[in-house]
Coordinates of all heavy atoms in Angstrom, one line a residue:
R1 N 14.0 -13.3 58.0 CA 13.6 -13.0 56.6 C 14.8 -12.3 56.0 O 15.2 -11.2 56.5 CB 12.3 -12.3 56.5 CG 12.0 -12.0 55.0 CD 10.6 -11.5 54.9 NE 10.3 -11.2 53.6 CZ 9.9 -10.1 53.0 NH1 9.5 -9.2 53.9 NH2 9.7 -10.0 51.8
T2 N 15.2 -12.7 54.8 CA 16.3 -12.0 54.1 C 15.7 -11.3 52.9 O 14.8 -11.7 52.2 CB 17.3 -13.0 53.4 OG1 17.8 -13.8 54.6 CG2 18.3 -12.3 52.8
N3 N 16.1 -10.1 52.7 CA 15.7 -9.1 51.7 C 16.8 -8.8 50.7 O 17.9 -8.4 51.2 CB 15.1 -7.8 52.4 CG 13.9 -7.3 51.6 OD1 13.3 -8.0 50.7 ND2 13.3 -6.3 52.2
G4 N 16.6 -9.0 49.4 CA 17.7 -8.7 48.5 C 18.8 -9.7 48.4 O 18.7 -10.8 49.0
I5 N 19.9 -9.3 47.8 CA 21.0 -10.2 47.6 C 21.8 -10.1 48.9 O 22.2 -9.0 49.4 CB 21.9 -9.9 46.4 CG1 21.0 -10.0 45.3 CG2 23.1 -10.7 46.4 CD1 21.7 -9.5 43.9
V6 N 22.2 -11.2 49.6 CA 22.9 -11.2 50.9 C 24.3 -10.9 50.8 O 24.8 -10.2 51.6 CB 22.6 -12.7 51.6 CG1 23.3 -12.6 53.0 CG2 21.1 -12.9 51.7
Y7 N 25.0 -11.5 49.9 CA 26.5 -11.2 49.8 C 26.9 -11.1 48.3 O 26.6 -12.0 47.5 CB 27.1 -12.5 50.4 CG 28.6 -12.6 50.3 CD1 29.4 -12.0 51.3 CD2 29.3 -13.3 49.4 CE1 30.7 -12.1 51.3 CE2 30.6 -13.4 49.3 CZ 31.4 -12.7 50.3 OH 32.7 -12.8 50.2
V8 N 27.6 -10.0 48.1 CA 28.1 -9.7 46.7 C 29.6 -9.4 46.8 O 30.0 -8.7 47.6 CB 27.4 -8.5 46.1 CG1 28.0 -8.2 44.7 CG2 25.9 -8.9 45.9
T9 N 30.4 -10.0 45.9 CA 31.8 -9.6 45.7 C 32.0 -9.4 44.2 O 31.7 -10.3 43.4 CB 32.7 -10.8 46.2 OG1 32.6 -11.0 47.5 CG2 34.2 -10.5 45.9
V10 N 32.4 -8.2 43.9 CA 32.7 -8.0 42.4 C 34.2 -7.7 42.4 O 34.8 -7.0 43.2 CB 31.9 -6.6 42.0 CG1 32.3 -6.3 40.6 CG2 30.4 -6.8 42.2
K11 N 34.8 -8.4 41.4 CA 36.4 -8.2 41.3 C 36.8 -8.3 39.9 O 36.2 -9.0 39.0 CB 37.1 -9.2 42.2 CG 36.9 -10.7 41.9 CD 37.5 -11.6 42.9 CE 37.1 -13.1 42.6 NZ 37.8 -13.9 43.6
N12 N 37.9 -7.6 39.6 CA 38.6 -7.7 38.3 C 37.7 -7.4 37.1 O 37.8 -8.0 36.1 CB 39.3 -9.0 38.1 CG 40.3 -9.4 39.2 OD1 40.8 -8.6 39.8 ND2 40.5 -10.7 39.3
S13 N 36.8 -6.3 37.3 CA 35.8 -6.1 36.3 C 36.1 -4.7 35.7 O 36.5 -3.8 36.4 CB 34.3 -6.3 36.8 OG 34.2 -7.5 37.3
I14 N 35.6 -4.5 34.5 CA 35.7 -3.2 33.8 C 34.3 -2.8 33.6 O 33.5 -3.5 33.0 CB 36.4 -3.3 32.4 CG1 37.8 -3.7 32.7 CG2 36.4 -2.0 31.8 CD1 38.6 -4.0 31.4
F15 N 34.0 -1.5 34.0 CA 32.7 -0.8 33.7 C 33.0 0.4 32.9 O 33.8 1.3 33.2 CB 32.0 -0.3 35.1 CG 31.7 -1.5 36.0 CD1 32.7 -2.0 36.9 CD2 30.4 -2.0 36.0 CE1 32.4 -3.0 37.7 CE2 30.2 -3.1 36.9 CZ 31.1 -3.5 37.7
Q16 N 32.4 0.4 31.7 CA 32.8 1.3 30.6 C 31.6 1.9 29.8 O 30.8 1.0 29.5 CB 33.9 0.8 29.7 CG 34.4 1.8 28.6 CD 35.4 1.3 27.8 OE1 36.1 0.3 28.1 NE2 35.6 1.8 26.6
S17 N 31.6 3.1 29.6 CA 30.6 3.8 28.7 C 29.2 3.5 29.1 O 28.3 3.3 28.3 CB 30.8 3.3 27.3 OG 32.1 3.6 26.8
S18 N 28.9 3.4 30.4 CA 27.6 3.2 30.9 C 26.9 4.7 31.1 O 27.4 5.6 31.6 CB 27.6 2.6 32.3 OG 26.3 2.4 32.8
K19 N 25.6 4.7 30.8 CA 24.9 6.0 30.9 C 24.1 5.9 32.2 O 23.4 6.8 32.6 CB 24.0 6.2 29.7 CG 24.8 6.5 28.5 CD 23.8 7.0 27.4 CE 24.5 7.0 26.1 NZ 25.7 7.9 25.9
A20 N 24.3 4.8 32.9 CA 23.5 4.7 34.3 C 24.1 5.7 35.3 O 25.3 5.9 35.4 CB 23.7 3.3 34.9
K21 N 23.3 6.2 36.1 CA 23.6 7.3 37.1 C 24.5 6.5 38.1 O 25.4 7.2 38.7 CB 22.5 8.0 37.7 CG 21.8 8.9 36.8 CD 20.5 9.6 37.4 CE 19.9 10.4 36.5 NZ 18.6 11.0 37.0
T22 N 24.3 5.2 38.4 CA 25.1 4.5 39.3 C 25.3 3.1 38.8 O 24.4 2.2 38.9 CB 24.2 4.3 40.7 OG1 23.9 5.7 41.1 CG2 25.1 3.7 41.8
P23 N 26.5 2.8 38.2 CA 26.7 1.6 37.6 C 26.8 0.5 38.6 O 26.4 -0.8 38.3 CB 28.0 1.7 36.9 CG 28.6 2.9 37.4 CD 27.6 3.7 37.9
V24 N 27.3 0.8 39.8 CA 27.3 -0.2 40.8 C 27.1 0.5 42.2 O 27.5 1.6 42.5 CB 28.7 -0.8 41.0 CG1 28.9 -1.7 42.1 CG2 29.2 -1.5 39.7
K25 N 26.1 -0.2 42.9 CA 25.8 0.3 44.3 C 25.8 -0.8 45.3 O 25.1 -1.7 45.1 CB 24.5 1.0 44.2 CG 24.1 1.6 45.7 CD 22.8 2.4 45.6 CE 22.5 2.9 47.0 NZ 21.2 3.7 47.0
L26 N 26.7 -0.8 46.1 CA 26.8 -1.8 47.2 C 26.5 -1.2 48.6 O 27.2 -0.2 49.0 CB 28.2 -2.4 47.3 CG 28.6 -3.2 45.9 CD1 30.1 -3.6 46.0 CD2 27.7 -4.3 45.7
T27 N 25.6 -1.7 49.3 CA 25.1 -1.2 50.6 C 25.3 -2.4 51.6 O 24.6 -3.4 51.5 CB 23.8 -0.7 50.5 OG1 23.6 0.4 49.6 CG2 23.3 -0.2 51.9
G28 N 26.0 -2.2 52.7 CA 26.2 -3.2 53.8 C 27.5 -3.9 53.8 O 28.2 -4.0 52.8
F29 N 27.8 -4.3 55.0 CA 29.1 -4.8 55.3 C 29.5 -6.0 54.7 O 30.6 -6.5 54.7 CB 29.4 -4.8 56.9 CG 28.5 -5.9 57.5 CD1 29.1 -7.1 57.8 CD2 27.2 -5.6 57.9 CE1 28.3 -8.2 58.3 CE2 26.5 -6.6 58.5 CZ 27.0 -7.9 58.8
K30 N 28.6 -6.8 54.1 CA 28.8 -8.1 53.5 C 29.3 -8.0 52.0 O 29.4 -9.0 51.4 CB 27.6 -9.1 53.6 CG 27.4 -9.5 55.0 CD 26.3 -10.5 55.1 CE 26.1 -11.0 56.6 NZ 25.0 -12.1 56.7
H31 N 29.1 -6.8 51.4 CA 29.4 -6.6 50.1 C 30.8 -6.0 49.8 O 31.3 -5.1 50.6 CB 28.4 -5.7 49.4 CG 27.0 -6.1 49.7 ND1 26.5 -7.3 49.2 CD2 25.9 -5.7 50.4 CE1 25.2 -7.6 49.5 NE2 24.8 -6.6 50.4
K32 N 31.4 -6.5 48.8 CA 32.8 -6.0 48.5 C 33.0 -5.8 47.0 O 32.5 -6.5 46.2 CB 33.9 -7.1 49.0 CG 33.7 -7.4 50.4 CD 34.5 -8.7 50.7 CE 34.3 -9.1 52.2 NZ 34.8 -10.4 52.5
I33 N 33.9 -4.9 46.6 CA 34.2 -4.6 45.2 C 35.8 -4.4 45.3 O 36.3 -3.5 46.0 CB 33.5 -3.5 44.6 CG1 33.8 -3.3 43.1 CG2 33.6 -2.2 45.4 CD1 32.9 -2.5 42.3
F34 N 36.5 -5.2 44.5 CA 38.0 -5.1 44.5 C 38.5 -5.0 43.0 O 38.0 -5.7 42.2 CB 38.6 -6.4 45.0 CG 38.3 -6.6 46.6 CD1 37.4 -7.6 46.9 CD2 38.7 -5.8 47.5 CE1 37.1 -7.9 48.2 CE2 38.4 -6.0 48.9 CZ 37.6 -7.1 49.2
N35 N 39.5 -4.3 42.8 CA 40.3 -4.2 41.6 C 39.4 -4.1 40.4 O 39.5 -4.9 39.5 CB 41.1 -5.5 41.4 CG 42.1 -5.7 42.6 OD1 42.1 -4.9 43.5 ND2 42.8 -6.8 42.7
C36 N 38.5 -3.2 40.4 CA 37.7 -2.9 39.2 C 38.1 -1.5 38.6 O 38.6 -0.7 39.3 CB 36.3 -2.8 39.7 SG 35.6 -4.5 40.1
N37 N 37.7 -1.3 37.4 CA 38.0 -0.1 36.5 C 36.7 0.5 36.1 O 35.9 -0.2 35.6 CB 38.9 -0.4 35.4 CG 39.4 0.9 34.8 OD1 40.2 1.5 35.3 ND2 38.9 1.1 33.6
F38 N 36.6 1.8 36.3 CA 35.5 2.6 35.8 C 35.9 3.7 34.8 O 36.8 4.5 35.1 CB 34.8 3.3 36.9 CG 34.1 2.3 37.9 CD1 34.8 1.7 38.9 CD2 32.8 2.1 37.7 CE1 34.3 0.7 39.7 CE2 32.2 1.1 38.6 CZ 32.9 0.4 39.6
W39 N 35.4 3.6 33.6 CA 35.9 4.5 32.6 C 34.7 5.0 31.8 O 33.8 4.1 31.4 CB 36.9 3.8 31.5 CG 37.4 4.6 30.5 CD1 37.1 4.6 29.1 CD2 38.2 5.8 30.6 NE1 37.7 5.6 28.5 CE2 38.4 6.4 29.3 CE3 38.9 6.4 31.6 CZ2 39.2 7.4 29.1 CZ3 39.6 7.5 31.5 CH2 39.9 8.0 30.2
E40 N 34.5 6.3 31.6 CA 33.5 7.0 30.9 C 32.1 6.5 31.5 O 31.1 6.3 30.8 CB 33.5 6.7 29.4 CG 34.7 7.3 28.7 CD 34.8 7.0 27.3 OE1 34.2 6.1 26.8 OE2 35.4 7.8 26.7
C41 N 32.0 6.5 32.9 CA 30.9 6.2 33.6 C 30.9 6.8 35.0 O 32.0 7.2 35.3 CB 30.4 4.7 33.5 SG 31.6 3.7 34.4
A42 N 29.8 6.8 35.6 CA 29.7 7.3 37.0 C 30.5 6.4 37.9 O 30.9 5.3 37.6 CB 28.3 7.4 37.5
D43 N 31.0 7.1 39.1 CA 31.7 6.2 40.0 C 30.8 5.3 40.8 O 29.6 5.6 40.9 CB 32.3 7.2 41.0 CG 33.5 8.1 40.4 OD1 33.8 7.8 39.3 OD2 33.9 9.0 41.1
P44 N 31.4 4.2 41.3 CA 30.6 3.3 42.1 C 30.2 3.9 43.5 O 30.8 4.9 44.0 CB 31.6 2.1 42.4 CG 32.9 2.8 42.4 CD 32.8 3.9 41.3
V45 N 29.1 3.4 44.0 CA 28.5 3.9 45.3 C 28.8 2.7 46.2 O 28.3 1.6 46.1 CB 27.1 4.3 45.3 CG1 26.7 4.7 46.7 CG2 26.9 5.5 44.3
V46 N 29.6 3.0 47.3 CA 29.9 2.0 48.4 C 29.5 2.6 49.7 O 30.1 3.5 50.1 CB 31.4 1.5 48.2 CG1 31.6 0.6 49.3 CG2 31.7 1.0 46.8
E47 N 28.5 2.0 50.4 CA 28.1 2.7 51.6 C 27.6 1.6 52.7 O 27.5 0.5 52.4 CB 26.9 3.6 51.2 CG 25.7 2.9 50.6 CD 24.6 3.7 50.1 OE1 24.8 4.9 49.9 OE2 23.5 3.2 49.9
K48 N 27.5 2.2 53.9 CA 27.1 1.5 55.0 C 27.8 0.2 55.3 O 27.4 -0.9 55.6 CB 25.6 1.1 54.9 CG 24.6 2.3 54.9 CD 23.3 2.0 54.9 CE 22.4 3.4 54.8 NZ 20.9 3.0 54.7
G49 N 29.2 0.3 55.3 CA 30.2 -0.7 55.6 C 30.5 -1.5 54.4 O 31.5 -2.5 54.7
A50 N 30.1 -1.4 53.2 CA 30.6 -2.1 52.1 C 32.0 -1.8 52.0 O 32.5 -0.7 52.3 CB 29.8 -1.8 50.8
I51 N 32.8 -2.6 51.3 CA 34.3 -2.5 51.2 C 34.7 -2.3 49.8 O 34.2 -3.1 48.9 CB 35.0 -3.7 51.9 CG1 34.6 -3.8 53.3 CG2 36.5 -3.6 51.6 CD1 35.1 -5.2 54.0
S52 N 35.5 -1.4 49.6 CA 36.1 -1.2 48.2 C 37.6 -1.1 48.2 O 38.2 -0.5 49.3 CB 35.5 0.0 47.4 OG 35.9 1.2 47.9
S53 N 38.4 -1.6 47.3 CA 39.8 -1.4 47.3 C 40.3 -1.6 45.9 O 39.7 -2.4 45.1 CB 40.5 -2.2 48.3 OG 41.0 -3.4 47.8
G54 N 41.4 -1.0 45.6 CA 42.0 -1.1 44.2 C 41.1 -0.7 43.0 O 41.4 -1.0 41.9
M55 N 40.3 0.3 43.3 CA 39.5 1.0 42.2 C 40.4 1.8 41.3 O 41.4 2.4 41.7 CB 38.5 1.9 42.8 CG 37.4 1.2 43.6 SD 36.4 0.0 42.8 CE 37.2 -1.4 43.3
M56 N 40.2 1.6 40.0 CA 40.9 2.4 39.0 C 40.0 3.2 38.1 O 38.8 2.8 38.0 CB 41.9 1.5 38.1 CG 42.9 0.7 38.9 SD 43.9 -0.3 38.0 CE 44.9 1.0 37.0
F57 N 40.4 4.3 37.5 CA 39.7 5.1 36.7 C 40.5 5.4 35.5 O 40.8 6.6 35.1 CB 39.2 6.3 37.4 CG 38.4 5.9 38.7 CD1 39.0 5.8 39.8 CD2 37.0 5.8 38.6 CE1 38.4 5.4 41.0 CE2 36.3 5.5 39.7 CZ 36.9 5.2 40.9
E58 N 40.9 4.4 34.6 CA 41.8 4.5 33.5 C 41.1 4.0 32.2 O 40.3 3.1 32.2 CB 43.1 3.6 33.8 CG 43.9 4.0 35.0 CD 44.7 5.2 34.8 OE1 44.8 5.7 33.7 OE2 45.2 5.7 35.8
N59 N 41.6 4.5 31.1 CA 41.2 4.0 29.9 C 41.7 2.6 29.7 O 42.8 2.4 29.8 CB 41.8 4.9 28.7 CG 41.3 4.5 27.3 OD1 40.9 3.4 27.1 ND2 41.4 5.4 26.4
P60 N 40.8 1.6 29.5 CA 41.3 0.2 29.5 C 42.3 -0.1 28.3 O 43.1 -1.0 28.5 CB 40.0 -0.6 29.3 CG 38.9 0.3 29.5 CD 39.4 1.7 29.4
R61 N 42.2 0.6 27.3 CA 43.1 0.4 26.0 C 43.0 -1.1 25.6 O 43.9 -1.8 25.8 CB 44.4 0.8 26.3 CG 44.6 2.3 26.7 CD 46.1 2.7 26.7 NE 46.3 4.0 27.1 CZ 46.3 5.1 26.3 NH1 46.0 4.9 25.1 NH2 46.4 6.2 26.8
F62 N 41.8 -1.3 24.8 CA 41.7 -2.6 24.3 C 42.4 -2.8 23.0 O 42.6 -1.8 22.2 CB 40.2 -3.0 24.1 CG 39.4 -3.0 25.3 CD1 38.4 -2.0 25.6 CD2 39.7 -4.0 26.3 CE1 37.7 -2.1 26.8 CE2 38.8 -4.1 27.5 CZ 37.9 -3.1 27.6
E63 N 42.7 -4.0 22.6 CA 43.1 -4.2 21.2 C 42.0 -3.9 20.2 O 40.9 -3.9 20.5 CB 43.5 -5.7 21.0 CG 44.8 -6.1 21.9 CD 46.1 -5.7 21.2 OE1 46.1 -5.3 20.1 OE2 47.0 -5.8 21.9
K64 N 42.4 -3.6 19.0 CA 41.4 -3.2 17.9 C 40.4 -4.4 17.7 O 40.9 -5.6 17.7 CB 42.1 -2.9 16.7 CG 42.7 -1.5 16.7 CD 43.3 -1.1 15.4 CE 44.0 0.2 15.5 NZ 44.6 0.6 14.3
K65 N 39.1 -4.1 17.7 CA 38.0 -5.1 17.4 C 38.1 -6.2 18.4 O 37.8 -7.4 18.1 CB 38.1 -5.6 16.0 CG 37.9 -4.5 14.9 CD 38.0 -5.1 13.5 CE 37.8 -3.9 12.6 NZ 37.7 -4.4 11.2
S66 N 38.5 -5.9 19.7 CA 38.6 -7.0 20.7 C 38.4 -6.3 22.0 O 38.5 -5.2 22.3 CB 40.0 -7.6 20.6 OG 40.3 -8.4 21.7
Y67 N 38.2 -7.2 23.1 CA 38.1 -6.8 24.5 C 39.2 -7.3 25.2 O 39.3 -7.4 26.4 CB 36.8 -7.3 25.1 CG 35.6 -6.5 24.6 CD1 34.7 -7.1 23.8 CD2 35.4 -5.2 24.9 CE1 33.5 -6.4 23.4 CE2 34.3 -4.4 24.6 CZ 33.4 -5.0 23.8 OH 32.3 -4.3 23.3
Q68 N 40.4 -7.7 24.5 CA 41.6 -8.1 25.1 C 42.4 -6.7 25.3 O 42.4 -5.8 24.6 CB 42.3 -9.0 24.2 CG 41.8 -10.3 24.0 CD 41.6 -11.0 25.2 OE1 42.5 -11.2 26.1 NE2 40.4 -11.8 25.4
L69 N 43.1 -6.7 26.5 CA 43.8 -5.5 26.9 C 45.1 -5.4 26.0 O 45.7 -6.4 25.6 CB 44.2 -5.6 28.4 CG 43.2 -5.5 29.4 CD1 43.8 -5.8 30.7 CD2 42.3 -4.3 29.3
S70 N 45.4 -4.2 25.6 CA 46.5 -4.0 24.7 C 47.9 -4.0 25.6 O 47.6 -3.9 26.9 CB 46.5 -2.6 24.0 OG 46.8 -1.6 24.9
P71 N 48.9 -4.2 25.1 CA 50.2 -4.2 25.9 C 50.4 -2.9 26.7 O 51.0 -2.9 27.7 CB 51.4 -4.4 24.9 CG 50.7 -5.1 23.8 CD 49.3 -4.5 23.7
K72 N 49.8 -1.8 26.2 CA 49.9 -0.4 26.9 C 48.9 -0.2 28.0 O 49.1 0.8 28.6 CB 49.9 0.6 25.8 CG 51.1 0.6 24.8 CD 50.9 1.8 23.9 CE 52.1 1.7 22.8 NZ 52.0 2.8 21.9
S73 N 48.1 -1.1 28.2 CA 47.0 -0.9 29.1 C 47.5 -0.9 30.6 O 48.2 -1.7 31.0 CB 45.9 -2.0 29.1 OG 45.0 -2.0 30.1
K74 N 47.0 0.1 31.4 CA 47.4 0.2 32.8 C 46.7 -0.8 33.6 O 46.9 -0.9 34.9 CB 47.1 1.6 33.2 CG 48.0 2.7 32.6 CD 47.7 4.0 33.2 CE 48.7 5.1 32.6 NZ 48.5 6.4 33.1
L75 N 45.8 -1.6 33.1 CA 45.1 -2.6 33.8 C 45.7 -3.9 33.9 O 45.3 -4.8 34.7 CB 43.7 -2.8 33.2 CG 42.8 -1.5 33.1 CD1 41.4 -1.9 32.6 CD2 42.7 -0.7 34.3
K76 N 46.7 -4.1 33.0 CA 47.5 -5.3 33.1 C 48.2 -5.6 34.5 O 49.0 -4.6 34.9 CB 48.6 -5.3 32.0 CG 47.9 -5.4 30.6 CD 49.0 -5.8 29.6 CE 48.6 -6.6 28.5 NZ 48.2 -8.0 28.8
G77 N 48.1 -6.6 35.1 CA 48.7 -7.1 36.4 C 48.0 -6.3 37.6 O 48.6 -6.4 38.7
K78 N 46.9 -5.5 37.5 CA 46.4 -4.9 38.5 C 45.2 -5.6 39.2 O 44.5 -5.2 40.1 CB 45.9 -3.5 38.0 CG 47.0 -2.6 37.4 CD 48.0 -2.3 38.5 CE 49.1 -1.3 38.0 NZ 50.0 -1.0 38.8
G79 N 44.8 -6.8 38.7 CA 43.8 -7.6 39.2 C 44.2 -8.4 40.4 O 45.4 -8.3 40.8
E80 N 43.3 -9.2 40.9 CA 43.7 -10.0 42.0 C 44.8 -10.9 41.7 O 44.9 -11.6 40.7 CB 42.5 -10.8 42.4 CG 42.5 -11.7 43.6 CD 41.2 -12.5 44.0 OE1 40.6 -13.0 43.0 OE2 40.9 -12.4 45.2
N81 N 45.7 -11.1 42.7 CA 46.9 -12.0 42.6 C 47.8 -11.7 41.3 O 48.3 -12.6 40.6 CB 46.5 -13.4 42.4 CG 45.9 -13.8 43.9 OD1 46.2 -13.4 44.9 ND2 44.9 -14.7 43.7
G82 N 47.8 -10.4 40.9 CA 48.6 -9.9 39.7 C 48.1 -10.3 38.3 O 48.8 -10.1 37.4
S83 N 46.9 -10.7 38.4 CA 46.1 -11.0 37.1 C 45.7 -9.6 36.4 O 45.9 -8.6 37.1 CB 44.9 -11.8 37.2 OG 43.9 -11.2 38.1
N84 N 45.1 -9.7 35.2 CA 44.7 -8.5 34.6 C 43.2 -8.2 35.1 O 42.6 -9.1 35.4 CB 44.7 -8.6 33.1 CG 46.1 -8.8 32.6 OD1 47.1 -8.5 33.2 ND2 46.2 -9.4 31.4
I85 N 42.9 -6.9 35.0 CA 41.5 -6.6 35.1 C 40.8 -6.6 33.8 O 41.3 -6.3 32.7 CB 41.4 -5.1 35.7 CG1 42.0 -5.0 37.1 CG2 39.9 -4.6 35.6 CD1 42.0 -3.5 37.6
G86 N 39.6 -7.3 33.8 CA 38.9 -7.6 32.6 C 38.9 -9.0 32.2 O 39.1 -9.9 33.1
L87 N 38.6 -9.3 31.0 CA 38.4 -10.6 30.4 C 39.7 -11.5 30.6 O 40.8 -10.9 30.5 CB 37.9 -10.7 29.0 CG 36.6 -10.2 28.8 CD1 36.4 -10.2 27.3 CD2 35.5 -10.9 29.4
K88 N 39.7 -12.7 30.9 CA 40.9 -13.5 31.0 C 41.2 -14.1 29.6 O 40.4 -14.2 28.7 CB 40.6 -14.8 31.9 CG 40.5 -14.3 33.3 CD 40.4 -15.5 34.2 CE 40.3 -15.0 35.6 NZ 40.2 -16.1 36.6

């Protein structure tokens, strides 16, 4: 019997301005989080063998009235395979 979500991979995502005490919690060796940015929110919880790498804690610096990264954003090129973190 399986309980809960069996396999989760979170990548190239931005978590920002969340009031949640834990915006992301991954428990167990089948769960992974890569190349994500956390800004103005709590840190992710990764435990019991879950894997994390490439975490960033930077201001995403969006273009005005948009969720596109500005040219000055430190998230540009930091995603998987040199892509940007955030929306494509």
Side-chain angles (χ1 to χ4, degrees):
R1 178 172 179 229
T2 301
N3 220 358
I5 298 172
V6 178
Y7 176 83
V8 172
T9 299
V10 180
K11 60 184 177 181
N12 299 339
S13 299
I14 298 172
F15 297 85
Q16 180 175 341
S17 302
S18 173
K19 295 189 186 304
K21 291 181 182 177
T22 308
V24 175
K25 181 177 181 180
L26 298 177
T27 303
F29 69 94
K30 292 185 178 182
H31 304 298
K32 303 171 186 172
I33 184 167
F34 300 111
N35 304 356
C36 290
N37 189 69
F38 292 82
W39 181 251
E40 295 180 337
C41 63
D43 292 349
V45 175
V46 179
E47 60 188 14
K48 296 183 182 177
I51 298 170
S52 72
S53 93
M55 297 295 102
M56 296 183 71
F57 303 89
E58 301 284 344
N59 182 340
R61 298 189 186 272
F62 296 115
E63 293 284 347
K64 290 182 181 181
K65 299 182 181 181
S66 167
Y67 288 108
Q68 296 298 318
L69 297 176
S70 78
K72 294 181 180 181
S73 176
K74 292 183 180 180
L75 305 184
K76 288 189 146 301
K78 300 296 183 183
E80 185 176 45
N81 297 323
S83 64
N84 296 339
I85 294 177
L87 296 174
K88 291 184 177 184

